[in-house]
Amino acid sequence: MFERVKSIIVENLGVNEEEVNINSKLAEDLGADSLDAVELIMAIEDEFDISIKDEDANNMRSVQDILDYLNKL
Amino acid sequence: MKKLIINNKESRYPIIQGGMGIGISLSKLSIAAIKAGIVGTISAAQPGFLYANFRSDALGNNLKALAKEIKAVRKECPSGILGVNCMYAGTNYDKYIEFLAKQDIDFIVSGAGLPVDLPKYLVGSKVKPAVIVSSAKAAKIICKKWMRTYKVLPEFIVVEGPLAGGHLGFSKEDMMSGNYKDLETLTEEVLIEVKKFEDEFKTSIPVIPAGGINSGREIAKFMKIGSSAVQIATRFIATTECDASDEYKLMIVNAKEEDIVLVPSPVGLPGRAIRNTFTKALKVGNFKPRFCVDCLRVCAKKDIPYCITEKLGNASGGDAENGLVFSGAKAYLIDKMATVKEVVDELVVDYLYGLRESK
């Protein structure tokens, strides 16, 4: 799961693989602005064939948050 | 001449009068704009600022003011194209949109952030959602997100470039270092992104550049590259019908090129305004806010240079030296007061000449 999320992040945020770890914060550590965040969530929806509510998306601030959400599905 | 269609209505000329807050574009300006053959926009930024108990109930007074302004336009112009500009960064955005969804308007246009959920509030309403962006990336994300979640595409997309007035969608660092694209480039990039959605969903999404457009020749230039219309705002401040105070209008008329400056704002982004006693004093220190109506979600509220609602409202209300006079970069080209119809007619004639020259 982490590897799939990681590769989406690398592709969408244009960061290196080594920069992405479980504790990375999307904005502070990976430089995602609000546009990147929306784009990233849509890419995750595509990859996992799911639909993420805006309220849930707004709470995803780190890689861990994304994994927690996906694990609960 | 190319026609602009919004909400199945046709505008005579391809020009939108842009929304300007606080209290700059309300019903008087919109009525004159629609009667002159263009699209009118009311600003939802604190339209109740001058109402008696605004400070204790901003939301209530603003909604009351919006209803009153919209009704005033509809009395004069029952079938013209009228919209409301409502900033996404505003507090109670959902309440404003839910309210506006039930009003007799044609569109709501939102910028100042990415209005990802605007269509949610317009389900079952005849009011159409539109968006203001400052990049092709934002245009693409909005189209994709709205289509995916709400099965709707923007009624139109305004591309706001670096020469606009008020808050800019570019950082202070980028503005200072010149690290930004001009409006023509931005518009071309947005057109490319939007075309993909137009082709896929067999529809058309008007792309409408804005920011610093001041002549008909400029309109011709933007129409030639594929725009469906342009949005013009500052040019309409120096008109008899504009809702701002005469003092505010005169600041625009008298401004020289060097009087148009970038100022810091409580939300961190640079804003373009006219140099006055207030902007000069800002260089020395901060202005302690006199009240707070919690206008913007993104305002830090503490240690801010000034309160944006207080300073914009004061300028619009008449204290143009000690308030904030937002203005586009080309305001110095305006040197006289005119009626809205005179401005529109001049723009259209110049636009037609511009089209002819390019043939």
Side-chain angles (χ1 to χ4, degrees):
Chain A
M1 180 88 85
F2 173 63
E3 288 305 317
R4 278 169 83 187
V5 171
K6 183 158 99 173
S7 78
I8 298 170
I9 290 175
V10 167
E11 192 183 325
N12 278 275
L13 300 184
V15 291
N16 293 322
E17 271 194 41
E18 311 82 70
E19 295 175 62
V20 187
N21 61 59
I22 290 211
N23 297 315
S24 304
K25 292 208 167 63
L26 301 177
E28 294 88 335
D29 301 329
L30 303 174
D33 61 17
S34 60
L35 269 66
D36 295 325
V38 176
E39 205 168 29
L40 182 64
I41 298 298
M42 286 196 286
I44 290 169
E45 287 180 333
D46 289 343
E47 170 73 20
F48 293 92
D49 199 18
I50 53 170
S51 168
I52 302 173
K53 281 193 194 146
D54 289 343
E55 300 87 270
D56 293 326
N58 288 338
N59 291 328
M60 294 182 191
R61 288 160 200 266
S62 66
V63 177
Q64 183 71 61
D65 292 341
I66 296 172
L67 293 174
D68 286 349
Y69 178 89
L70 293 172
N71 281 325
K72 272 191 225 142
L73 292 176
Chain B
M1 188 180 299
K2 197 165 173 177
K3 298 279 198 315
L4 170 64
I5 292 172
I6 294 174
N7 205 15
N8 299 316
K9 294 182 189 173
E10 193 178 286
S11 173
R12 184 167 178 202
Y13 303 126
I15 302 172
I16 295 180
Q17 162 257 311
M20 295 173 279
I22 293 175
I24 312 294
S25 66
L26 299 174
S27 57
K28 280 190 267 174
L29 182 53
S30 291
I31 289 168
I34 294 170
K35 285 189 171 171
I38 66 171
V39 175
T41 311
I42 288 171
S43 165
Q46 319 301 334
F49 184 80
L50 295 174
Y51 284 35
N53 57 345
F54 171 74
R55 293 182 190 186
S56 59
D57 179 17
L59 176 65
N61 281 291
N62 286 336
L63 296 183
K64 211 191 309 176
L66 282 170
K68 180 176 156 258
E69 299 295 334
I70 292 165
K71 213 172 146 192
V73 178
R74 284 313 184 199
K75 194 171 163 233
E76 295 276 323
C77 313
S79 60
I81 307 176
L82 173 68
V84 171
N85 178 318
C86 189
M87 289 186 295
Y88 192 64
T91 310
N92 293 318
Y93 179 76
D94 53 343
K95 296 199 177 70
Y96 283 98
I97 303 301
E98 279 167 9
F99 178 82
L100 290 168
K102 291 180 247 154
Q103 301 293 311
D104 187 8
I105 56 173
D106 296 294
F107 65 87
I108 294 169
V109 62
S110 286
L114 206 59
V116 284
D117 56 356
L118 169 56
K120 181 167 82 184
Y121 309 102
L122 299 180
V123 176
S125 166
K126 71 171 186 69
V127 181
K128 298 286 195 289
V131 63
I132 302 175
V133 300
S134 287
S135 69
K137 183 175 169 186
K140 182 182 91 179
I141 291 173
I142 280 292
C143 288
K144 197 168 161 189
K145 170 77 184 164
W146 284 9
M147 189 35 105
R148 168 180 301 202
T149 314
Y150 308 106
K151 301 278 176 288
V152 64
L153 285 165
E155 186 71 1
F156 60 85
I157 297 178
V158 173
V159 185
E160 194 178 284
L163 299 182
H167 284 125
L168 302 172
F170 308 88
S171 73
K172 187 184 172 210
E173 291 70 29
D174 286 348
M175 286 305 291
M176 292 304 179
S177 63
N179 180 30
Y180 55 84
K181 291 168 180 164
D182 63 26
L183 181 58
E184 202 169 339
T185 309
L186 285 171
T187 303
E188 283 169 339
E189 290 178 357
V190 170
L191 281 163
I192 291 168
E193 280 304 329
V194 166
K195 177 97 177 27
K196 296 175 195 163
F197 290 91
E198 291 182 319
D199 289 348
E200 185 177 350
F201 298 103
K202 309 264 180 299
T203 183
S204 87
I205 308 170
V207 170
I208 303 175
I213 300 174
N214 60 86
S215 70
R217 296 291 204 284
E218 290 246 301
I219 301 175
K221 177 179 88 179
F222 284 108
M223 298 299 275
K224 256 190 296 174
I225 62 169
S227 310
S228 296
V230 299
Q231 180 180 284
I232 295 178
T234 301
R235 186 80 202 265
F236 293 114
I237 299 176
T239 58
T240 31
E241 299 96 331
C242 172
D243 295 87
S245 63
D246 289 343
E247 291 80 357
Y248 197 107
K249 298 176 188 179
L250 280 177
M251 292 291 282
I252 299 286
V253 172
N254 295 330
K256 308 260 183 305
E257 190 166 5
E258 60 272 23
D259 294 327
I260 296 164
V261 295
L262 291 178
V263 295
S265 103
V267 300
L269 291 167
R272 183 172 280 111
I274 296 193
R275 186 165 60 187
N276 59 4
T277 306
F278 169 65
T279 64
K280 286 176 203 157
L282 254 190
K283 291 191 174 149
V284 187
N286 291 353
F287 286 81
K288 193 176 180 322
R290 295 186 183 186
F291 60 93
C292 175
V293 294
D294 190 17
C295 60
L296 295 171
R297 289 199 305 269
V298 287
C299 178
K301 296 186 177 65
K302 269 188 179 170
D303 300 320
I304 51 174
Y306 57 92
C307 166
I308 191 128
T309 285
E310 179 188 333
K311 293 301 176 189
L312 282 176
N314 287 349
S316 163
D319 194 358
E321 266 304 326
N322 297 297
L324 181 58
V325 180
F326 268 166
S327 155
K330 298 294 177 69
Y332 66 91
L333 294 172
I334 300 166
D335 56 8
K336 61 174 193 302
M337 289 287 293
T339 65
V340 170
K341 182 164 170 34
E342 284 165 352
V343 172
V344 170
D345 288 354
E346 187 189 319
L347 286 169
V348 170
V349 168
D350 189 36
Y351 163 52
L352 293 174
Y353 277 124
L355 282 184
R356 203 173 60 180
E357 278 165 14
S358 63
K359 271 182 188 152

